[in-house]
Amino acid sequence: MSERNSNQGASTRSASIMMLLATVCVAASFPVSKSLMQYASAELALLLRFVISSVLFYMFILLRGLSAPVIPKKWRTYVFVSFFYAMFFICTFEALKLTSPFNTSVIYTLMPSVSLFLSWLIYKDLNIKHYVIPLIISTLVSVIVVSGGKLSFIEIIDAANLGDVIFLFGTICMACFFNVTKKYTANESPLISTFYILLGNTIWMSLYLFLSSEEVYFNVNIASVFELLFLVLFCTVFTFFSVQYSAKKIDSMKISSFSYLMPVFVVLMNLLFFSIEVDFVIVLSSLISVLSLFYIQWVSGVKSSL
């Protein structure tokens, strides 16, 4: 029994570490994606990102000696599940044309709350009562940051731009993805389910490129290639596998709670590699986000010990 608990504890720790690293990668993806849009159209960048990611994952599966037919028996399921993930990425690139990486990172902290609400609405999950405090706090922080510190409803509506609204929709799609992927891919190997969802994303991105009326371009240089490879290897392949792996090891709310670190990491990324003006609102919202993470991790720990 003690050996089993020890192994379970080790798996939980490894999943938590992977999610922490994945959160850093996702945070980096906002400013890097914004930078990449100087050299490539959003539609083409997204398609290349998922084509390369799918090929790399398929090669990895073959190297592991696993079997993965290009068209699986549950292909309709993977097309459905991948739709929400694809919509998140499409909304991210479209939103970054109109808003800042920091705004998107703060809005993304709404994802755990939206995910939990959907879980309660669809699956009648009663865990929502344990997370009311961070749900309210994350909502208020997002509103304050997006509105530039304004608290009047009229001022908030005026301050929020179309990019913020687009990314809010993308965040809701990501919350939907967390719920449906747990339901429909729970019995699949993380490697196999990751590959098929990435492949599904490639299909949706091809459709996105085909329907787009924007000019398609890609200026090849060292910066654009490096940024694309970074998005592929760390922000797609590693991050997505981490989510699929962790979903089988730790509570879904605990997984999504790592998003509360997003504003902190985005600020650090911008300070190190890009340019951002750090003011009191940014610092305060980042601190509150970290406190929300600690609260959820603590509540999850208490519940699991009961």
Side-chain angles (χ1 to χ4, degrees):
M1 178 66 74
S2 60
E3 184 178 349
R4 181 181 177 183
N5 290 337
S6 177
N7 291 335
Q8 185 175 2
S11 296
T12 301
R13 283 191 297 274
S14 64
S16 296
I17 292 171
M18 288 180 70
M19 280 309 304
L20 180 62
L21 294 174
T23 303
V24 175
C25 293
V26 174
S29 73
F30 294 121
V32 172
S33 296
K34 181 95 173 178
S35 178
L36 180 61
M37 287 166 62
Q38 301 174 81
Y39 313 109
S41 58
E43 300 83 0
L44 183 58
L46 280 171
L47 179 58
L48 288 174
R49 179 174 176 177
F50 283 101
V51 167
I52 298 171
S53 297
S54 299
V55 170
L56 288 176
F57 236 96
Y58 189 65
M59 291 172 61
F60 188 60
I61 287 172
L62 293 179
L63 288 174
R64 292 291 301 272
L66 300 175
S67 174
V70 176
I71 303 177
K73 293 180 180 179
K74 297 168 58 179
W75 67 267
R76 293 180 184 84
T77 298
Y78 285 109
V79 169
F80 170 70
V81 172
S82 63
F83 169 78
F84 297 102
Y85 199 60
M87 284 304 301
F88 169 75
F89 280 99
I90 291 171
C91 288
T92 298
F93 270 79
E94 291 298 331
L96 286 171
K97 296 176 183 177
L98 304 167
T99 191
S100 70
F102 183 75
N103 273 30
T104 56
S105 72
V106 174
I107 295 171
Y108 191 74
T109 63
L110 289 172
M111 196 271 292
S113 302
V114 177
S115 179
L116 196 65
F117 175 74
L118 290 174
S119 183
W120 168 76
L121 193 66
I122 300 170
Y123 307 118
K124 307 304 177 187
D125 189 345
L126 299 179
N127 284 334
I128 192 170
K129 63 184 180 181
H130 298 289
Y131 305 108
V132 171
I133 292 176
L135 186 153
I136 295 173
I137 290 175
S138 63
T139 302
L140 288 175
V141 169
S142 296
V143 168
I144 290 171
V145 169
V146 171
S147 67
K150 299 178 179 66
L151 296 178
S152 164
F153 179 75
I154 301 299
E155 290 179 317
I156 290 170
I157 296 298
D158 290 338
N161 62 48
L162 181 59
D164 296 330
V165 176
I166 291 172
F167 191 74
L168 177 61
F169 177 72
T171 300
I172 294 172
C173 289
M174 181 57 96
C176 291
F177 171 74
F178 267 96
N179 279 275
V180 297
T181 192
K182 185 90 172 179
K183 178 180 176 66
Y184 292 109
T185 68
N187 298 323
E188 299 283 352
S189 159
L191 280 176
I192 301 298
S193 61
T194 299
F195 167 67
Y196 285 132
I197 293 175
L198 287 174
L199 195 60
N201 271 271
T202 303
I203 295 172
W204 288 115
M205 294 308 169
S206 300
L207 183 62
Y208 174 51
L209 178 64
F210 178 75
L211 295 176
S212 175
S213 59
E214 299 289 329
E215 179 188 358
V216 177
Y217 62 93
F218 192 99
N219 298 325
V220 179
N221 55 51
I222 295 176
S224 62
V225 172
F226 176 80
E227 288 173 350
L228 179 61
L229 288 177
F230 178 83
L231 289 172
V232 167
L233 296 175
F234 296 100
C235 304
T236 305
V237 173
F238 173 74
T239 298
F240 199 79
F241 177 74
S242 297
V243 172
Q244 294 296 101
Y245 173 81
S246 300
K248 295 171 173 52
K249 304 294 181 181
I250 55 181
D251 180 72
S252 59
M253 185 58 193
K254 197 169 183 180
I255 293 173
S256 58
S257 70
F258 280 95
S259 67
Y260 286 123
L261 287 174
M262 206 72 71
V264 180
F265 289 139
V266 169
V267 170
L268 292 175
M269 295 289 174
N270 274 282
L271 287 174
L272 290 173
F273 304 108
F274 302 94
S275 59
I276 186 174
E277 183 180 345
V278 179
D279 55 23
F280 176 74
V281 172
I282 289 178
V283 173
L284 180 61
S285 62
S286 299
L287 289 175
I288 292 175
S289 295
V290 173
L291 291 175
S292 298
L293 169 70
F294 282 129
Y295 177 85
I296 288 180
Q297 297 289 322
W298 174 73
V299 169
S300 299
V302 169
K303 284 170 59 187
S304 63
S305 64
L306 294 179

